[in-house]
Amino acid sequence: MKTLLEPTAPEPLTEPRTVETITAMVRLLMANGVLDLPRPGAGDTWGRWTTLAGLGRRDLVLGRLAEGHTDALAILAEGGRDPVPEALYGVWAARSGGTGAVVEGGALTGTVRFCSGAQVLDRALVVADFEQGPPILLDVDLREPGVQPLPETWQALGMDASDSGDVRFDRVPVTAAHVVGEPGWYVARPGFAVGGAGVAAVWLGGCAAVLDSVMAFLLDRGSADEHQHAHFGALHTAIHEADALLARTADVVDGGSEGDPALLSALCRAAVERTARQVLDLAPEITGPTALCRDRRLPRQLADLLVYVRQHHGARDLAALGAELLKGAQR
């Protein structure tokens, strides 16, 4: 079984990195079949996650948009729906700061935050509140009148080229053809938790990218002291530990061994988030200011990782994990 840390780091993307250049690369990957990934639980979940991690290792924005598209395809397949041919998809489900979409009077209304690819995607799976019941999932054509990206809302330095601003929906008509699954299906389906582990694989690819840059710095410098050796060894160990947990989880998801896929997926996210915090802390200590100030690559990788890994909610997600573990022990 392959690991995320292949012997040779992938070629970095050409500069400048912009929303347009990243989108062009994602569409090229689509055209070449690279994003036609195995479905989670279909026998090669590890192959799926390895591809996503490799894209994140090449560039986290690239990995983010690719993961969103492939997650949307997996969700549609789980719901028995075919995607629109050649459409670039995303999944927009954020409920931040009291915002969110709602279906009222047969129309989609509201503002959704953190819509990666807001100005460049063709379609998005949008989670929306529906009457008094659970939310529904809608397959929305983003060229519809009433879909308005708000690019000024994305002011991030990390993940800057992910185009993850707000999108406002102004009475976009909704029909039965837009609805994927029953109300509440999106979060109740088995693939919901497993999809979160796929995101963690991209995060881990971003961690590996930082390690690539740190290694290149040390090799170019030609020397390292015992503290740099220790920190570098610690990061390498942490990344391989998270990698091993992802590999075990993929085997459980595919039915190769016993375990709870949802619980293990949550563990994966927690483990990779902890690894990312170690990377963000120790990588700058290894390199000092030189690599942070004289080469754009490492500080951008760190800034991207800092923003992207905050999809994990830290102590809140750990509290939910701990509660679930105790509940399982009481059964």
Side-chain angles (χ1 to χ4, degrees):
M1 178 178 287
K2 295 195 298 183
T3 70
L4 298 181
L5 287 178
E6 293 298 320
T8 304
E11 285 292 323
L13 298 183
T14 57
E15 296 291 343
R17 185 185 77 167
T18 65
V19 177
E20 292 75 21
T21 61
I22 291 288
T23 305
M25 176 60 71
V26 174
R27 291 190 183 277
L28 180 62
L29 293 172
M30 287 173 58
N32 290 336
V34 176
L35 301 187
D36 296 334
L37 301 183
R39 300 289 181 247
D44 191 18
T45 300
W46 182 241
R48 176 186 181 86
W49 291 351
T50 300
T51 298
L52 290 173
L55 293 172
R57 188 178 181 186
R58 189 172 186 192
D59 184 275
L60 267 182
V61 173
L62 176 67
R64 170 68 191 97
L65 293 183
E67 187 280 327
H69 174 75
T70 57
D71 187 39
L73 298 189
I75 293 168
L76 289 170
E78 195 171 359
R81 293 276 295 271
D82 292 325
V84 173
E86 300 182 6
L88 178 57
Y89 273 86
V91 181
W92 297 347
R95 287 286 189 275
S96 172
T99 62
V102 60
V103 175
E104 296 177 331
L108 181 64
T109 302
T111 299
V112 181
R113 290 182 176 176
F114 303 114
C115 297
S116 294
Q119 300 176 89
V120 296
L121 299 185
D122 302 311
R123 304 185 72 87
L125 301 185
V126 180
V127 176
D129 290 336
F130 180 61
E131 297 180 349
Q132 302 302 314
I136 60 173
L137 184 67
L138 306 174
D139 184 350
V140 179
D141 184 343
L142 300 179
R143 297 166 297 181
E144 287 281 344
V147 180
Q148 181 185 3
L150 304 174
E152 70 279 2
T153 59
W154 187 244
Q155 298 292 326
L157 298 179
M159 302 295 286
D160 57 340
S162 67
D163 186 28
S164 297
D166 298 1
V167 173
R168 179 181 296 134
F169 298 95
D170 184 10
R171 298 203 56 77
V172 179
V174 172
T175 68
H178 291 92
V179 180
V180 182
E182 299 294 325
W185 174 81
Y186 171 68
V187 295
R189 63 194 170 86
F192 180 75
V194 175
V199 175
V202 184
W203 296 342
L204 195 57
C207 293
V210 173
L211 201 68
D212 293 336
S213 294
V214 170
M215 177 180 285
F217 170 81
L218 293 175
L219 292 174
D220 184 64
R221 188 169 180 260
S223 64
D225 62 29
E226 64 273 20
H227 301 291
Q228 290 170 313
H229 285 152
H231 291 332
F232 186 72
L235 293 185
H236 202 272
T237 300
I239 288 173
H240 275 285
E241 287 173 343
D243 177 86
L245 181 56
L246 277 162
R248 180 194 168 199
T249 302
D251 188 54
V252 170
V253 169
D254 287 332
S257 56
E258 293 186 0
D260 183 341
L263 181 61
L264 283 170
S265 295
L267 284 169
C268 285
R269 288 175 66 87
V272 177
E273 189 265 352
R274 184 180 62 181
T275 298
R277 285 191 285 111
Q278 288 181 267
V279 168
L280 291 165
D281 181 39
L282 293 181
E285 188 170 343
I286 295 171
T287 65
T290 300
L292 298 175
C293 302
R294 301 182 66 87
D295 185 342
R296 184 178 300 272
R297 182 174 64 168
L298 178 59
R300 186 164 69 188
Q301 289 170 335
L302 291 169
D304 287 348
L305 184 60
L306 176 66
V307 171
Y308 192 11
V309 78
R310 289 277 49 88
Q311 280 193 357
H312 187 274
H313 299 119
R316 281 181 292 167
D317 282 355
L318 289 172
L321 175 59
E324 187 61 30
L325 288 167
L326 286 175
K327 186 187 301 182
Q330 294 168 350
R331 290 176 187 146

